[in-house]
Amino acid sequence: MLALDVTDDANVKAAAVAYGKTGDTLDVLVNNAGVATGGYAVPSEASLDDMRAVYEVNVFGPVRVTHAFLPFLSKAGQGRIVMMSSSLGSIAEQLDMTSGTYGVNLLGYNSSKSALNMITVSLAKELAAHGIKVNAANPGYVATDLNKHQGYRTVEQGAAIAVHLATLGPMGPTAGFFNDGTEATIGRHAW
Ligand SMILES: NC(=O)c1ccc[n+]([C@@H]2O[C@H](COP(=O)([O-])OP(=O)(O)OC[C@H]3O[C@@H](n4cnc5c(N)ncnc54)[C@H](OP(=O)(O)O)[C@@H]3O)[C@@H](O)[C@H]2O)c1
């Protein structure tokens, strides 16, 4: 096991070097780390320091880790990258007054996941030539430390979509945003 602080350049680079000593390929990278520093402050009162802290983990973290581990994913020939996003990052859903999350208006967290969605598309477009698929996963509202275990989905239910996207075959999608975890229920989420 490798300890990793996704906000720390040197630490992430050192982790990649240490990983390289154990092998030279990586099949799957799940960028799961996420924070919601600042909680439920209204947007007009959200602190920039909180917002920076959220972006360091939720936006720059996945880019930093992806850059560091990309050589191993490329060598794998069919690497898979999963970005743990959120329905709160969906601009379409945030504008939909009938959506259950319409009122969850978190300036830092929501915009960080919107940025992560575009990062997903951007990386997917470049990395398709290397056989690497990059997709964003919406786990739904899962009972974890992030929401003080208020979520109504289990960790297993939330993780299922990430597992699905991590194990896509060669004909699977890339540059997508998906929710739910089984072949029967999987669906594209509105960006
Ligand atoms: N729970 C939900 O309802 C929900 C909904 C939509 C999306 N998501 C997303 O799902 C992902 C997982 O969240 P969760 O619900 O499982 O929350 P969580 O229980 O709070 O877990 C967050 C994880 O991020 C790690 N982390 C935080 N800062 C880090 C850093 N600087 N470097 C490395 N790891 C760091 C934490 O590691 P430590 O434990 O070591 O601090 C922890 O493992 C997040 O991206 C979150 O935004 C969650």
Side-chain angles (χ1 to χ4, degrees):
M1 194 172 82
L2 286 172
L4 198 65
D5 177 351
V6 303
T7 68
D8 183 330
D9 273 334
N11 179 254
V12 170
K13 280 182 187 148
V17 169
Y19 182 80
K21 289 180 180 157
T22 69
D24 62 355
T25 63
L26 178 65
D27 294 322
V28 170
L29 171 63
V30 180
N31 284 300
N32 178 66
V35 295
T37 312
Y40 287 90
V42 293
S44 59
E45 292 172 11
S47 116
L48 274 177
D49 284 344
D50 286 343
M51 203 169 165
R52 275 191 204 97
V54 169
Y55 272 59
E56 269 303 331
V57 177
N58 297 10
V59 178
F60 306 130
V63 174
R64 187 177 283 118
V65 175
T66 300
H67 282 171
F69 284 85
L70 204 47
F72 307 117
L73 288 151
S74 292
K75 264 200 181 151
Q78 48 175 16
R80 303 288 178 259
I81 301 174
V82 182
M83 304 294 194
M84 284 309 269
S85 185
S86 168
S87 58
L88 295 177
S90 164
I91 293 172
E93 189 164 313
Q94 280 296 306
L95 289 169
D96 177 0
M97 292 179 76
T98 67
S99 147
T101 59
Y102 182 80
V104 189
N105 189 9
L106 312 178
L107 187 69
Y109 185 83
N110 293 9
S111 64
S112 77
K113 295 299 187 180
S114 304
L116 182 62
N117 286 351
M118 184 57 83
I119 287 164
T120 300
V121 170
S122 185
L123 286 169
K125 285 164 64 177
E126 179 194 347
L127 299 180
H130 301 268
I132 298 174
K133 295 183 189 297
V134 191
N135 287 293
N138 168 36
Y141 194 33
V142 180
T144 66
D145 291 347
L146 191 78
N147 51 38
K148 300 190 172 61
H149 295 263
Q150 300 291 302
Y152 51 80
R153 306 194 82 206
T154 65
V155 167
E156 289 75 12
Q157 288 172 324
I161 186 58
V163 172
H164 178 83
L165 295 172
T167 54
L168 289 172
M171 301 305 285
T174 192
F177 183 23
F178 296 95
N179 51 10
D180 285 338
T182 65
E183 287 294 346
T185 59
I186 196 163
R188 274 190 186 265
H189 199 288
W191 291 109

